[in-house]
Amino acid sequence: MNRHARHAFPLTAMAAALFGVFGSAEAAEDEERTRLTRPESRIEFGLGYADSDGRRFGQYSGTNDQGAYGLFDVDLVRRDDATGTWLNLTGRNLGLKSRELSFAHNRQGNWGYFIEYSETPSLNPYTVNTGLAGIGTPIQTIAGIGAPRVNVDLKTQRDALTLGFNKFLPAGWDVQVRFKNEEKDGSRLWGQGGAPVNFLVDPINQTTRQLDVILGYSGERLQLSGGYYATSFDNHNAAVSVPNSTVFTLMALPPGNQSHQAHMSGGYSFTPTTRGTFRVAYARATQTDSFFVAPTRNTRADLGGAVETTLVQLGLTARPLPKLSLLGNIRYEDRDDRTPLAFYTAVAGGSTLDGFNEPRSIRTIAGKAEASYALPMNF
């Protein structure tokens, strides 16, 4: 059983809230309006206690062990009525390993920026009894029969930092920029098959980054949104080395990769009851990490993976009659795999494989047309 006690203290007087309970309906509406335009700052703290281990209960919060835990939340708000400027500092689960903290500063209808930080643990619910040496590193040694063993609790930790900025520009334009950096570290269950089956761990040491830049326009009839989106994944460990393994002495880990996308979407209202929409996008994803072991059957230093995707989508909705609605759209997607073809593996006789990698390009065209009419008697 898990118990907790939490107390909240508003940083402003609570007289208005009490009056709203016993006052008139008009007073309650005024209180609600005040709450939305001038929200109160709050600090909440308490104590939680787990009277037994809960490895699944606390898998993503860090409250997996028996004992006491601090509970602490904060929501500080400040508003300058003269300029419409807001300051917000928000914290959640600050006493736990799943804490979140954010700061935002914005002026309504003009500009804004924010900073967010979060931690997300992932605790394996199983305790592993093993003699494996080098846990958490890319060099691991399998223990022999009779070697001493210890209990190991595996876990990973994500630390994410996000920055954002937005600005309203003249003539209906606005711009938004968002960047996120995530670091993931720790160890998780892994292994290698064969005879015998060997227990290993995946040494997690990874960085993921995302960048999103959007330029938007909003007019009476036309709305547009376009921009650039990029991602990158960097695995700081390329492989796991197991020097005394009789199966594989080297095992590859997920390689780094990158992607870039340019996109634009929007809509135009031809009439109050007829609207067209569109979306176009072009993306290029690559995987060019060097091979940690050079291929013996070709001269490539890396896969040279590259996939280019083109997307075009058009749609139209209309209501020509009060009870008649029409919808139509068409979608075109071309996934062009430009990874170089190379010979990698010798193939035994009679196999349907040829030893080459297999790039796969897919082109899809899909369309839809619908009409609906409201019949009498609610049919």
Side-chain angles (χ1 to χ4, degrees), residues 312-314 329-333 364-368:
V312 179
Q313 183 171 317
L314 303 173
N329 59 53
I330 186 168
R331 186 177 189 273
Y332 168 86
E333 184 178 27
T364 305
I365 301 176
K368 180 172 65 175

Side-chain angles (χ1 to χ4, degrees), residues 117-356:
Y117 174 78
S118 66
E119 298 180 5
T120 306
S122 179
L123 310 176
N124 194 290
Y126 303 105
T127 295
V128 180
N129 182 261
T130 180
L132 181 71
I135 291 177
T137 73
I139 301 177
Q140 301 172 26
T141 305
I142 300 169
I145 297 176
R149 300 175 180 271
V150 296
N151 289 337
V152 177
D153 293 321
L154 302 179
K155 63 181 180 179
T156 61
Q157 176 80 22
R158 295 176 184 262
D159 297 334
L161 178 65
T162 306
L163 308 175
F165 170 79
N166 69 280
K167 172 66 177 177
F168 289 90
L169 304 173
W173 293 89
D174 68 273
V175 62
Q176 301 177 48
V177 181
R178 182 183 178 95
F179 173 77
K180 181 178 182 180
N181 185 88
E182 180 181 277
E183 303 288 342
K184 184 178 180 182
D185 296 282
S187 300
R188 62 184 174 188
L189 293 172
W190 208 39
Q192 54 181 204
V197 176
N198 294 319
F199 167 77
L200 301 173
V201 300
D202 182 0
I204 304 295
N205 186 6
Q206 303 168 351
T207 300
T208 303
R209 295 186 176 94
Q210 297 173 288
L211 174 65
D212 199 3
V213 181
I214 299 176
L215 179 64
Y217 170 79
S218 181
E220 184 177 351
R221 289 191 174 187
L222 176 65
Q223 293 79 42
L224 295 173
S225 177
Y228 169 75
Y229 179 67
T231 68
S232 69
F233 169 75
D234 186 9
N235 194 344
H236 304 291
N237 295 325
V240 171
S241 173
V242 193
N244 65 336
S245 172
T246 58
V247 184
F248 298 107
T249 57
L250 281 173
M251 297 183 66
L253 294 174
N257 54 77
Q258 308 81 32
S259 71
H260 305 269
Q261 182 191 64
H263 59 88
M264 176 173 285
S265 60
Y268 183 80
S269 299
F270 298 96
T271 70
T273 60
T274 305
R275 181 171 176 81
T277 59
F278 77 94
R279 177 175 175 79
V280 294
Y282 170 80
R284 176 177 172 84
T286 58
Q287 191 270 292
T288 57
D289 267 8
S290 299
F291 293 133
F292 66 90
V293 174
T296 59
R297 302 182 182 277
N298 64 56
T299 59
R300 293 203 57 84
D302 58 68
L303 176 66
V307 177
E308 299 181 0
T309 303
T310 303
L311 171 69
V312 179
Q313 183 171 317
L314 303 173
L316 182 69
T317 58
R319 181 172 289 180
L321 300 174
K323 295 185 178 182
L324 176 63
S325 297
L326 304 177
L327 180 148
N329 59 53
I330 186 168
R331 186 177 189 273
Y332 168 86
E333 184 178 27
D334 182 16
R335 181 181 181 274
D336 186 8
D337 191 339
R338 298 194 173 189
T339 304
L341 201 62
F343 183 67
Y344 285 95
T345 307
V347 180
S351 173
T352 58
L353 304 177
D354 59 7
F356 286 80

Side-chain angles (χ1 to χ4, degrees), residues 30-60:
D30 290 341
E31 179 198 346
E32 180 68 12
R33 188 180 301 110
T34 301
R35 186 183 67 83
L36 294 174
T37 57
R38 298 180 183 178
E40 292 181 332
S41 297
R42 299 178 66 86
I43 293 179
E44 299 182 1
F45 65 88
L47 183 67
Y49 180 78
D51 58 11
S52 61
D53 292 344
R55 302 186 67 86
R56 290 193 180 277
F57 169 78
Q59 187 172 1
Y60 299 106

Side-chain angles (χ1 to χ4, degrees), residues 1-4 48-54 57-58 63 65-67 69:
M1 180 181 296
N2 297 278
R3 304 179 177 89
H4 70 271
Y49 180 78
D51 58 11
S52 61
D53 292 344
F57 169 78
T63 57
D65 294 328
Q66 178 184 4
Y69 296 92

